[in-house]
Coordinates of all heavy atoms in Angstrom, one line a residue:
L359 N 9.2 -15.6 5.3 CA 9.3 -17.1 5.7 C 10.1 -17.5 6.7 O 11.1 -16.7 7.0 CB 9.5 -17.9 4.4 CG 8.6 -17.7 3.3 CD1 9.1 -18.5 2.0 CD2 7.2 -17.9 3.5
P360 N 9.9 -18.5 7.5 CA 10.9 -19.0 8.5 C 12.1 -19.7 7.9 O 12.6 -20.6 8.3 CB 10.1 -19.9 9.5 CG 9.0 -20.5 8.5 CD 8.7 -19.4 7.6
L361 N 12.5 -19.3 6.6 CA 13.6 -19.9 6.0 C 14.7 -18.8 5.9 O 14.4 -17.7 5.6 CB 13.2 -20.4 4.6 CG 12.0 -21.4 4.5 CD1 11.7 -21.5 2.9 CD2 12.5 -22.6 5.1
K362 N 16.0 -19.2 5.8 CA 17.0 -18.1 5.7 C 17.8 -18.3 4.3 O 18.0 -19.4 3.8 CB 18.0 -18.4 6.8 CG 17.4 -18.2 8.2 CD 17.2 -16.7 8.7 CE 16.5 -16.7 9.9 NZ 15.7 -15.5 10.0
N363 N 18.3 -17.1 3.9 CA 19.2 -17.1 2.8 C 20.6 -17.4 3.3 O 20.8 -17.4 4.6 CB 19.2 -15.7 2.1 CG 17.8 -15.4 1.4 OD1 17.6 -16.1 0.6 ND2 17.3 -14.4 1.9
A364 N 21.5 -17.6 2.4 CA 22.9 -17.9 2.8 C 23.4 -16.8 3.8 O 24.3 -17.0 4.6 CB 23.8 -18.1 1.6
D365 N 23.1 -15.5 3.5 CA 23.5 -14.5 4.4 C 22.7 -14.2 5.6 O 22.9 -13.2 6.2 CB 23.6 -13.1 3.6 CG 22.1 -12.7 3.2 OD1 21.2 -13.4 3.5 OD2 22.1 -11.7 2.5
K366 N 21.9 -15.2 6.0 CA 21.1 -15.2 7.2 C 19.9 -14.3 7.2 O 19.2 -14.3 8.1 CB 22.0 -15.0 8.5 CG 23.2 -15.9 8.6 CD 22.8 -17.2 8.9 CE 24.1 -18.1 9.2 NZ 24.2 -19.2 8.4
T367 N 19.6 -13.6 6.1 CA 18.5 -12.8 6.0 C 17.2 -13.7 5.7 O 17.5 -14.8 5.1 CB 18.5 -11.7 5.0 OG1 18.8 -12.3 3.7 CG2 19.6 -10.6 5.3
P368 N 16.1 -13.3 6.2 CA 14.9 -14.2 6.0 C 14.5 -14.2 4.4 O 14.7 -13.3 3.7 CB 13.8 -13.5 6.7 CG 14.2 -12.3 7.2 CD 15.7 -12.2 6.9
V369 N 14.0 -15.4 4.1 CA 13.4 -15.5 2.7 C 12.0 -14.8 2.6 O 11.3 -15.0 3.6 CB 13.3 -17.0 2.2 CG1 12.7 -17.1 0.9 CG2 14.8 -17.7 2.3
T370 N 11.8 -14.1 1.5 CA 10.5 -13.4 1.4 C 9.8 -13.8 0.1 O 10.5 -14.1 -0.8 CB 10.6 -11.8 1.5 OG1 11.5 -11.4 0.4 CG2 11.2 -11.3 2.8
V371 N 8.4 -13.8 0.2 CA 7.7 -14.1 -1.1 C 6.8 -12.9 -1.3 O 6.4 -12.1 -0.4 CB 6.9 -15.4 -1.0 CG1 7.9 -16.5 -0.8 CG2 6.0 -15.4 0.4
K372 N 6.3 -12.7 -2.5 CA 5.5 -11.6 -3.0 C 4.4 -12.3 -3.8 O 4.5 -13.4 -4.2 CB 6.2 -10.5 -3.8 CG 6.8 -11.1 -5.2 CD 7.8 -10.2 -5.8 CE 8.6 -10.7 -6.9 NZ 9.6 -9.8 -7.3
P373 N 3.3 -11.6 -3.9 CA 2.1 -12.2 -4.7 C 2.5 -12.4 -6.1 O 3.2 -11.6 -6.8 CB 1.1 -11.1 -4.6 CG 1.4 -10.1 -3.6 CD 3.0 -10.2 -3.5
L374 N 2.0 -13.5 -6.8 CA 2.2 -13.9 -8.1 C 1.3 -13.0 -8.9 O 0.1 -13.0 -8.7 CB 2.1 -15.3 -8.3 CG 2.3 -15.7 -9.9 CD1 3.7 -15.5 -10.4 CD2 1.9 -17.3 -10.0
T375 N 1.8 -12.3 -9.9 CA 0.8 -11.5 -10.8 C 1.2 -11.7 -12.2 O 2.1 -12.3 -12.5 CB 1.1 -9.8 -10.4 OG1 2.4 -9.6 -10.9 CG2 0.8 -9.6 -9.0
E376 N 0.3 -11.2 -13.1 CA 0.6 -11.3 -14.6 C 1.8 -10.6 -14.9 O 2.7 -11.0 -15.7 CB -0.6 -10.7 -15.3 CG -1.7 -11.5 -15.5 CD -2.8 -10.9 -16.4 OE1 -2.4 -10.2 -17.4 OE2 -4.0 -11.0 -16.2
E377 N 2.1 -9.5 -14.2 CA 3.3 -8.7 -14.4 C 4.7 -9.3 -14.0 O 5.6 -9.1 -14.6 CB 3.3 -7.3 -13.7 CG 2.3 -6.4 -14.2 CD 0.8 -6.7 -13.8 OE1 0.7 -7.2 -12.7 OE2 -0.1 -6.5 -14.5
N378 N 4.7 -10.2 -12.9 CA 5.8 -10.8 -12.6 C 6.0 -12.3 -12.7 O 6.9 -13.0 -12.4 CB 6.2 -10.5 -11.0 CG 5.2 -11.2 -10.1 OD1 4.6 -12.2 -10.3 ND2 5.1 -10.5 -8.9
N379 N 5.0 -12.9 -13.5 CA 4.9 -14.4 -13.7 C 6.1 -14.8 -14.6 O 6.7 -15.7 -14.5 CB 3.6 -14.8 -14.4 CG 3.6 -16.3 -14.6 OD1 3.5 -17.1 -13.6 ND2 3.5 -16.7 -15.9
N380 N 6.4 -13.9 -15.7 CA 7.6 -14.2 -16.6 C 8.8 -14.1 -15.8 O 9.7 -15.0 -16.0 CB 7.5 -13.2 -17.7 CG 6.6 -13.5 -18.7 OD1 6.1 -14.6 -18.8 ND2 6.5 -12.5 -19.7
D381 N 9.0 -13.2 -14.7 CA 10.2 -13.2 -14.0 C 10.4 -14.5 -13.2 O 11.4 -15.1 -13.2 CB 10.2 -12.0 -13.0 CG 10.0 -10.7 -13.6 OD1 10.4 -10.5 -14.7 OD2 9.7 -9.8 -13.0
M382 N 9.3 -15.0 -12.6 CA 9.4 -16.2 -11.9 C 9.7 -17.4 -12.8 O 10.6 -18.2 -12.4 CB 8.0 -16.6 -11.2 CG 8.0 -17.7 -10.3 SD 6.4 -18.2 -9.7 CE 5.6 -18.9 -11.2
E383 N 9.2 -17.5 -14.0 CA 9.5 -18.6 -14.8 C 10.9 -18.5 -15.4 O 11.6 -19.5 -15.6 CB 8.5 -18.6 -16.0 CG 7.1 -19.2 -15.4 CD 7.0 -20.5 -14.7 OE1 7.9 -21.3 -14.8 OE2 6.2 -20.5 -13.8
E384 N 11.4 -17.2 -15.7 CA 12.9 -17.1 -16.0 C 13.8 -17.6 -14.9 O 14.8 -18.3 -15.2 CB 13.1 -15.7 -16.3 CG 12.7 -15.3 -17.6 CD 12.9 -13.7 -17.9 OE1 13.8 -13.1 -17.4 OE2 12.1 -13.2 -18.8
I385 N 13.5 -17.3 -13.7 CA 14.3 -17.8 -12.5 C 14.1 -19.3 -12.5 O 15.2 -20.0 -12.3 CB 13.8 -17.2 -11.2 CG1 14.1 -15.6 -11.3 CG2 14.5 -17.9 -9.9 CD1 13.6 -14.9 -10.1
R386 N 13.0 -20.0 -12.7 CA 12.9 -21.4 -12.7 C 13.7 -22.0 -13.8 O 14.5 -23.0 -13.5 CB 11.4 -21.7 -12.9 CG 11.2 -23.2 -12.7 CD 9.7 -23.7 -13.1 NE 8.7 -22.9 -12.5 CZ 8.2 -23.2 -11.3 NH1 8.7 -24.2 -10.6 NH2 7.3 -22.5 -10.8

Side-chain angles (χ1 to χ4, degrees):
L359 304 179
L361 303 173
K362 299 282 183 219
N363 291 303
D365 66 1
K366 306 288 187 241
T367 58
V369 175
T370 58
V371 291
K372 60 188 169 193
L374 180 62
T375 63
E376 278 184 43
E377 290 77 34
N378 68 29
N379 186 63
N380 281 347
D381 297 343
M382 182 185 77
E383 291 308 329
E384 281 175 24
I385 290 168
R386 185 188 310 275

